[in-house]
Amino acid sequence: MSGAPTLSRSELRRYSRQLLLSEFAGGQERLKAARVLVIGAGGLGCPVLAYLAGAGVGFLRIADGDTVSLSNLHRQTLYTQADVGRSKAQLAAARLQQVNPYVAVEAAPALSAETAAALLGGVSLVIDASDNFGTRYLVHDLCTAAGLPWVWGAAGGLEGMVSVFGPEFGLRDVFPTSEGAESCDEIGVVGPLLGVVGSVMAMEALKLLTGQPDVLTGRLWTYDALSARVRVVRLPDRTSAAT
């Protein structure tokens, strides 16, 4: 791949297990060259960030303005009790650098209309690991306007879902309103559910970044933790639905 960054011997050893896979053998340089914005460093963001850093995604920007609270610790695995009250984005960035020193990580403020331009600047993929529809709809609007793809996930109670959006079809097309949506603060959540959903989000991101053909674009992956039932639902095409 012309102009792609080269891998050192140490990096080749580090990524040797995923390089054994034919689907990813030619994509490690693409991962190293990738620049990804992850919105949210909470229950979903923690596994997403850990796996993307471990896989060798070259630049990760973490947008989160929150601090660690005691009730986060059963599911937000990048943090410890000593971190309560400290910035999630800064802590996550420091932990990821310890996981993989070959990855550049930037702590950034939460996504808003004011911070959007700086946060989206220079990235080729956005991962929406936020926990509220206000932010999710803002991600939809910004990524659609910028022509960027994004990986979206949500989890609460005992259920989770993941999809890949943009730029022609996004969250607003699937969930035009947030009516009936409840937060984890209201309905609760079991910790491992976030690990499952976040891992699927990370996998979809790696597939996008390495050019794999079968991503969840136009489909919604759903998971019921209590029954262990997984379904993949094809989403209606916006243009065909209008005819």
Side-chain angles (χ1 to χ4, degrees):
M1 183 175 176
S2 177
T6 57
L7 300 169
S8 67
R9 289 186 178 181
S10 179
E11 287 174 287
L12 290 171
R13 289 196 298 273
R14 175 181 288 269
Y15 309 128
S16 60
R17 296 302 182 268
Q18 66 195 43
L19 289 173
L20 290 172
L21 302 169
S22 59
E23 294 85 355
F24 289 88
Q28 195 63 50
E29 290 84 357
R30 296 178 68 169
L31 291 180
K32 185 172 182 176
R35 297 176 62 86
V36 176
L37 168 63
V38 179
I39 299 168
L44 292 175
C46 282
V48 167
L49 288 163
Y51 279 117
L52 295 190
V57 173
F59 175 82
L60 293 167
R61 178 176 291 147
I62 307 169
D64 196 312
D66 199 8
T67 58
V68 178
S69 66
L70 192 61
S71 63
N72 297 152
L73 298 181
H74 85 291
R75 65 193 186 281
Q76 299 182 18
T77 54
L78 289 177
Y79 315 120
T80 69
Q81 181 148 336
D83 297 326
V84 170
R86 299 174 63 191
S87 162
K88 290 182 182 180
Q90 293 178 5
L91 286 167
R95 299 277 149 75
L96 297 182
Q97 294 282 210
Q98 293 175 333
V99 169
N100 189 349
Y102 295 104
V103 172
V105 189
E106 176 185 291
L111 178 70
S112 67
E114 293 71 32
T115 62
L119 291 177
L120 270 68
V123 303
S124 58
L125 178 65
V126 175
I127 300 178
D128 182 3
S130 65
D131 61 358
N132 64 88
F133 268 89
T135 301
R136 292 165 181 161
Y137 286 147
L138 181 57
V139 173
H140 171 111
D141 297 341
L142 293 169
C143 288
T144 299
L148 287 172
W150 75 100
V151 177
W152 170 81
L158 292 161
E159 299 178 342
M161 56 188 73
V162 177
S163 191
V164 175
F165 293 131
E168 297 85 9
F169 183 87
L171 184 71
R172 287 187 185 275
D173 300 298
V174 183
F175 300 106
T177 74
S178 60
E179 185 178 353
E182 296 177 291
S183 71
C184 293
D185 290 342
E186 298 169 309
I187 63 172
V189 67
V190 64
L193 172 67
L194 284 301
V196 173
V197 176
S199 296
V200 174
M201 294 170 68
M203 190 69 228
E204 291 303 302
L206 293 177
K207 287 158 60 179
L208 281 165
L209 294 171
T210 55
Q212 305 302 319
D214 195 21
V215 297
L216 282 171
T217 303
R219 295 179 292 162
L220 182 68
W221 177 94
T222 67
Y223 175 65
D224 182 319
L226 207 57
S227 67
R229 182 177 294 113
V230 172
R231 297 179 62 209
V232 179
V233 180
R234 184 160 296 280
L235 298 171
D237 181 84
R238 179 172 53 184
T239 55
S240 63
T243 58

